Amino acid sequence: MTDVRKLAIYPFLTESKEFVRKMNITIDEILTDIVYEKARLFGVERVMNALDKGDVGDRKLRSESDFISEILSHAVAKMIAVCVKDNFVIRRYALGEAVHAYRHLVNEDIDFILSVCKDLKLNVERYDGGVKIHFIDYLEYAPTSYQKWKLINRTLDRGFVHIENKNLRDLIRIVQEAVMKKIILDISDKVCIDTVEDVFRKEIERIREYLARRKKRLSSRPVGKVNLADIPPCMKEILSMIQSGENVPHMGRFAIVAFFHALGISREEIFKLFSAAPDFDEERTRYQIDHITGRISSTEYSPPGCDKMRTYGLCPTEKMDDICRSVKHPISYYWKKVKK
Amino acid sequence: MEKDETISFLKERFGEYYRKNRIELPDRFGKREFAFMPFGVKMMKRHLSFKRKSDLINYITNMIPAHAYYSSAFYQNPGAPTMEEKGWMGAELIFDLDLDHLEKKKARTYEEGLMIIKEEFTRLVEEFILGDFGFDEKYVKLYFSGGRGYHCHVTDPRVLHLDSSGRREIVDYIIGKEIDERIIFKERIVEGDDIGRRRSIKRLEIPRPDEPGWRGRIGRSIIDIIKNLDNEDVVRSLIETGIRKKDIERLKSEMTPDRILRIEREGRIDQSPFIRRFFLKAAIRRIAISSVAGETDEPVTCDVKRLIRLPTSLHGKTGFRVCPIDIDDLEDFDPLYDAVVFSDDPVTVELKEKFTITVKGETFDLAKGRCRVPEYVAVFLAGRGIAKIINSE
């Protein structure tokens, strides 16, 4: 049995959930009973911190009941995120939990880290000198668009990727991603409970306002000389997916960077567009942009044409307009639209 | 008219094969999309699905396709016309090695090409699929494509849900793409003894030959190249992989016995950046699988929804069978024996040009014009469009 203090740091673990289940309280009690007021306050704080700072944050916990409130607040936060019904909020919240877990896991001993891996169903084993993770799990969670994380730059032996003890943070980075995906999955099949909407009416309203401001800011901001209203539907689609944190295939990211680069948009401007993503990774994004625009590679890539976009399933056929039908390249679309 | 005779001959021969032989059906065949190319028309019939085994068999024996394919993916509604409506559920991992993708070595004949591609395929299976990726043999199925290549299907349940970026990583791994020099040549700080004074020295080392994965492979390859710089075969094979002769000459002149010894004994390679770059490039080119489809821009192995030839069907351009191969039999497998299904009854054909081919150990050195050849050669020539069938009674 893990210490309640630890469960409070990692409330997404099966054991934490089991702990809550054994308390035998109803959702209604958590939402309305005065006893759980602290859990509700902490829950709001978790969501707000995730949105503002990208980390659900630490609270001052003094008593056993504080620890329990902290565990419960995770459930409260998830219920709030479900009721906002917005992809960006869900992803940003899940990231906030995952980053929080990462920050604490780096101070844990290896046995505990391995028990977390096991709980997340990651196939991880120890070997003399380090830990190894099955490459399928590695590919699912490691940020492989970054060169150092590419499978080829790892030691792969009989199905397992080796991580030396001195690089244990790499394993924790993978755990972070797995936590984020687990929480997103957890939230995605839940429906909003009416009581949550009543109890947290003010807070949910605040989050919605925050979202509206953000949306306005993003769409009204010109990118270099380019007005985002003039870019083709395929690029709009990719951009909005990136900004809401949906999983954009590598080819999509490539296409949009090459597209903006071809229009003469600076690397810095492209970078800003990406930075709106809930799980924005500064270093990785810079690397990708520099790579595609030819700054750190020998090739300066040109954006794919409509045929290729279709091949890769990146052409949203239902959103095609007349200009789309008259051109063969996203760049031609832009020039045609601007001249109109 | 003559062309029609050729087509009806091929259809008649293929038809008999499909009536007499049992087609090996893929797992979950009811969830797969099937596609067929008829004889004489370049139009693929796609988006077909079959609920019962007998429906599929009947379809094939009635249509008698020149080429038969199924999807590596399985779908909720495999017969639906668009991807959205199909509903993707998962896909096997497919490796497709084909002579058409082979750039580094120019094969002179079909037979020679098939040998080169088999060597490459064997390396892919042994070193990468069973070695580094560690797939269990029971999930690894090998096939001769019936044409100019080999396919490997990995059916491990864990790979079925891998998305296209994960598959891309696997392809990049086997083709040696974006390898980081700093990960191969590692800097190590050693305590040196410099005339009685201790101090630390930085040095660059090549990977030890016994290390796993790419590092060990590159370490072994570098030592192999060094030992054989005077061997003409090795030099030729380096040139064939695209290494410049000029660079090999320069390397030879820079490789003093003293330097060779240091690399061999201590793995030290800090002498010159030229040497380092040369070895990395040469080693990668020798080891990487180069003829994998997908090396070009087209998404192939990393495509999660591609069509692949139906095992045990016939290839319309050769008449050879898409032949399953046991891993243990791969070494002895000879497509020009083992994938031949037609008889040696004589058939009269008219060749458009001279052609030479060796099938079942017999070399047919054929001149332009009419001649009589065994049925399996006639099907091959007709399928490739090199010959017309004159009589088929």
Side-chain angles (χ1 to χ4, degrees):
Chain A
M1 178 74 201
T2 312
D3 184 354
V4 65
R5 262 174 274 204
K6 212 152 232 191
L7 297 183
I9 303 174
Y10 309 103
F12 54 84
L13 292 177
T14 313
E15 214 181 327
S16 312
K17 288 182 179 162
E18 195 59 18
F19 180 87
V20 174
R21 205 183 54 81
K22 281 193 182 134
M23 286 174 66
N24 249 328
I25 31 175
T26 64
I27 291 176
D28 234 40
E29 282 170 327
I30 298 178
L31 291 173
T32 52
D33 197 321
I34 186 83
V35 178
Y36 302 112
E37 188 166 3
K38 218 170 199 174
R40 294 195 290 275
L41 278 174
F42 287 177
V44 171
E45 197 180 314
R46 282 191 115 85
V47 180
M48 286 326 212
N49 279 347
L51 289 176
D52 291 340
K53 300 169 192 154
D55 184 328
V56 294
D58 297 319
R59 281 145 288 282
K60 282 205 178 81
L61 308 174
R62 294 189 183 88
S63 59
E64 166 128 3
S65 94
D66 280 359
F67 291 115
I68 294 170
S69 299
E70 179 77 356
I71 299 174
L72 290 173
S73 74
H74 174 64
V76 173
K78 281 199 289 188
M79 288 189 264
I80 298 173
V82 169
C83 288
V84 180
K85 298 188 187 83
D86 180 276
N87 244 337
F88 174 83
V89 171
I90 292 171
R91 295 193 64 97
R92 183 88 184 157
Y93 166 67
L95 177 74
E97 287 287 355
V99 167
H100 179 256
Y102 177 93
R103 199 160 45 75
H104 287 276
L105 277 173
V106 294
N107 298 320
E108 301 285 1
D109 63 37
I110 186 151
D111 288 326
F112 182 75
I113 295 168
L114 288 177
S115 75
V116 173
C117 288
K118 200 173 165 201
D119 191 68
L120 294 165
K121 300 198 171 56
L122 297 176
N123 189 350
V124 180
E125 290 170 15
R126 272 180 110 144
Y127 76 92
D128 192 23
V131 290
K132 51 185 183 175
I133 176 166
H134 194 268
F135 82 92
I136 296 284
D137 290 332
Y138 181 87
L139 289 181
E140 174 140 18
Y141 299 116
T144 50
S145 51
Y146 196 62
Q147 193 187 12
K148 124 176 186 190
W149 286 92
K150 277 188 80 66
L151 195 56
I152 193 163
N153 291 318
R154 299 276 156 168
T155 303
L156 176 64
D157 186 24
R158 281 162 294 170
F160 282 85
V161 175
H162 291 215
I163 297 171
E164 287 173 54
N165 278 330
K166 65 173 184 340
N167 298 325
L168 204 58
R169 273 173 191 243
D170 284 358
L171 179 67
I172 303 173
R173 177 66 183 80
I174 290 168
V175 169
Q176 177 190 316
E177 199 67 21
V179 170
M180 172 162 166
K181 286 199 176 163
K182 181 194 161 94
I183 292 172
I184 291 171
L185 200 70
D186 235 25
I187 294 180
S188 62
D189 60 353
K190 301 278 189 306
V191 285
C192 176
I193 304 164
D194 291 345
T195 329
V196 178
E197 222 155 347
D198 288 342
V199 174
F200 298 105
R201 187 171 301 276
K202 256 190 2 222
E203 288 79 4
I204 290 172
E205 200 46 49
R206 230 165 78 208
I207 297 169
R208 293 220 172 103
E209 278 163 20
Y210 167 94
L211 284 175
R213 278 199 308 277
R214 175 177 177 273
K215 201 164 183 184
K216 206 173 153 199
R217 200 175 64 232
L218 286 179
S219 60
S220 64
R221 191 170 68 191
V223 183
K225 293 186 201 103
V226 174
N227 184 342
L228 288 180
D230 295 333
I231 66 173
C234 51
M235 296 298 167
K236 274 187 196 149
E237 188 87 351
I238 296 171
L239 188 60
S240 92
M241 279 171 76
I242 288 173
Q243 294 183 336
S244 70
E246 278 168 68
N247 194 13
V248 179
H250 179 74
M251 189 63 189
R253 289 173 174 269
F254 166 78
I256 199 161
V257 173
F259 174 80
F260 281 124
H261 181 62
L263 289 182
I265 306 299
S266 72
R267 272 185 285 273
E268 205 46 45
E269 287 282 347
I270 301 173
F271 182 76
K272 273 192 217 153
L273 281 175
F274 278 66
S275 68
D279 45 359
F280 170 66
D281 178 336
E282 184 174 337
E283 193 186 10
R284 184 172 153 201
T285 307
R286 264 196 211 287
Y287 172 79
Q288 278 182 344
I289 294 174
D290 286 354
H291 191 79
I292 295 164
T293 56
R295 190 187 148 102
I296 51 168
S297 59
S298 48
T299 338
E300 189 177 327
Y301 296 91
S302 48
C306 295
D307 269 348
K308 205 171 219 174
M309 294 291 282
R310 264 191 293 277
T311 307
Y312 281 88
L314 293 169
C315 175
T317 36
E318 69 289 351
K319 289 185 182 158
M320 270 174 87
D321 57 21
D322 287 344
I323 305 181
C324 277
R325 277 180 273 273
S326 69
V327 298
K328 288 182 177 149
H329 203 287
I331 295 282
S332 327
Y333 179 104
Y334 174 78
W335 291 120
K336 214 162 178 174
K337 181 118 185 199
V338 174
K339 276 185 196 139
K340 262 195 169 176
Chain B
M1 286 312 275
E2 284 157 314
K3 202 183 174 197
D4 286 351
E5 181 148 11
T6 300
I7 288 174
S8 59
F9 167 78
L10 288 171
K11 269 191 96 159
E12 194 263 322
R13 294 291 81 215
F14 274 48
E16 188 182 302
Y17 171 83
Y18 285 122
R19 280 191 304 278
K20 286 188 174 165
N21 293 278
R22 198 173 277 277
I23 293 296
E24 183 186 292
L25 294 182
D27 314 332
R28 309 180 180 84
F29 83 93
K31 296 280 176 210
R32 311 276 187 172
E33 175 193 352
F34 287 83
F36 301 98
M37 180 96 90
F39 277 106
V41 201
K42 276 220 155 92
M43 249 281 283
M44 182 92 95
K45 273 193 80 79
R46 286 198 62 170
H47 311 302
L48 300 164
S49 70
F50 301 93
K51 285 212 169 59
R52 281 191 312 247
K53 214 170 170 171
S54 56
D55 294 346
L56 173 59
I57 307 256
N58 286 339
Y59 189 94
I60 293 178
T61 44
N62 282 328
M63 182 206 188
I64 314 177
H67 303 279
Y69 305 90
Y70 77 101
S71 60
S72 64
F74 34 100
Y75 303 102
Q76 255 135 14
N77 306 299
T82 66
M83 276 325 278
E84 288 76 27
E85 292 167 82
K86 274 185 165 55
W88 190 84
M89 295 167 77
E92 280 136 25
L93 192 58
I94 305 284
F95 296 90
D96 175 354
L97 256 60
D98 198 288
L99 264 179
D100 297 338
H101 307 290
L102 192 87
E103 280 171 39
K104 68 177 183 186
K105 299 162 194 157
K106 275 226 174 75
R108 279 153 287 261
T109 62
Y110 178 59
E111 295 90 321
E112 200 185 352
L114 283 177
M115 259 159 65
I116 294 173
I117 206 82
K118 200 184 101 174
E119 276 172 31
E120 187 111 335
F121 186 68
T122 306
R123 232 156 32 78
L124 167 73
V125 172
E126 287 175 356
E127 298 243 331
F128 292 99
I129 293 174
L130 301 174
D132 289 6
F133 289 104
F135 287 115
D136 192 316
E137 284 191 19
K138 72 176 175 215
Y139 295 128
V140 177
K141 294 182 179 159
L142 312 181
Y143 301 95
F144 169 59
S145 75
R148 297 155 57 80
Y150 288 85
H151 300 160
C152 171
H153 304 194
V154 178
T155 58
D156 189 328
R158 289 178 295 189
V159 304
L160 301 181
H161 300 103
L162 210 57
D163 65 8
S164 57
S165 67
R167 286 166 206 248
R168 170 93 263 163
E169 279 298 304
I170 294 176
V171 175
D172 285 355
Y173 187 90
I174 63 172
I175 66 176
K177 197 172 164 186
E178 282 190 59
I179 207 161
D180 188 346
E181 190 186 317
R182 289 162 301 185
I183 279 165
I184 299 303
F185 302 120
K186 279 198 176 157
E187 220 170 59
R188 202 158 73 115
I189 295 170
V190 287
E191 286 289 314
D193 194 15
D194 191 16
I195 331 169
R197 271 190 315 162
R198 295 195 68 77
R199 56 169 206 166
S200 16
I201 310 167
K202 258 192 215 165
R203 52 187 212 189
L204 277 176
E205 293 182 350
I206 64 166
R208 289 194 323 274
D210 60 345
E211 285 184 57
W214 266 98
R215 277 180 50 82
R217 219 170 268 132
I218 288 181
R220 291 191 293 277
S221 187
I222 289 175
I223 290 177
D224 187 53
I225 294 171
I226 292 173
K227 282 188 177 156
N228 292 295
L229 270 178
D230 290 323
N231 182 328
E232 271 177 42
D233 285 345
V234 171
V235 171
R236 188 157 16 88
S237 80
L238 281 172
I239 291 170
E240 274 175 358
T241 61
I243 302 290
R244 285 184 307 184
K245 200 171 177 166
K246 206 177 80 189
D247 285 345
I248 299 176
E249 291 305 323
R250 182 171 161 197
L251 183 82
K252 276 189 188 173
S253 69
E254 290 199 13
M255 269 295 157
T256 57
D258 175 48
R259 282 181 161 169
I260 292 178
L261 216 62
R262 257 195 294 175
I263 296 175
E264 272 190 312
R265 291 222 180 125
E266 304 170 47
R268 285 171 59 183
I269 196 153
D270 33 4
Q271 300 95 351
S272 96
F274 167 77
I275 294 178
R276 249 176 357 249
R277 234 170 290 130
F278 176 90
F279 279 132
L280 187 64
K281 193 169 156 196
I284 292 175
R285 294 255 176 129
R286 292 180 95 204
I287 300 160
I289 303 296
S290 65
S291 48
V292 72
E295 189 178 10
T296 53
D297 283 353
E298 293 309 308
V300 182
T301 325
C302 41
D303 190 342
V304 293
K305 46 185 185 291
R306 72 166 301 202
L307 293 170
I308 184 104
R309 275 185 191 277
L310 186 63
T312 65
S313 68
L314 298 180
H315 190 301
K317 280 191 173 166
T318 59
F320 296 147
R321 194 162 74 113
V322 181
C323 210
I325 312 165
D326 268 1
I327 291 181
D328 298 333
D329 297 341
L330 182 58
E331 197 186 334
D332 296 330
F333 180 80
D334 181 352
L336 295 166
Y337 268 99
D338 301 320
V340 179
V341 296
F342 291 112
S343 75
D344 49 15
D345 297 346
V347 176
T348 306
V349 296
E350 183 170 319
L351 269 86
K352 286 183 193 160
E353 59 203 55
K354 67 179 177 128
F355 193 80
T356 305
I357 180 151
T358 305
V359 192
K360 284 183 152 183
E362 192 180 341
T363 302
F364 299 88
D365 209 347
L366 307 170
K368 183 180 171 179
R370 292 195 180 192
C371 60
R372 274 164 85 78
V373 291
E375 187 183 75
Y376 53 79
V377 176
V379 172
F380 179 85
L381 296 170
R384 296 260 312 238
I386 304 168
K388 288 184 291 199
I389 300 297
I390 297 304
N391 71 46
S392 54
E393 69 264 22

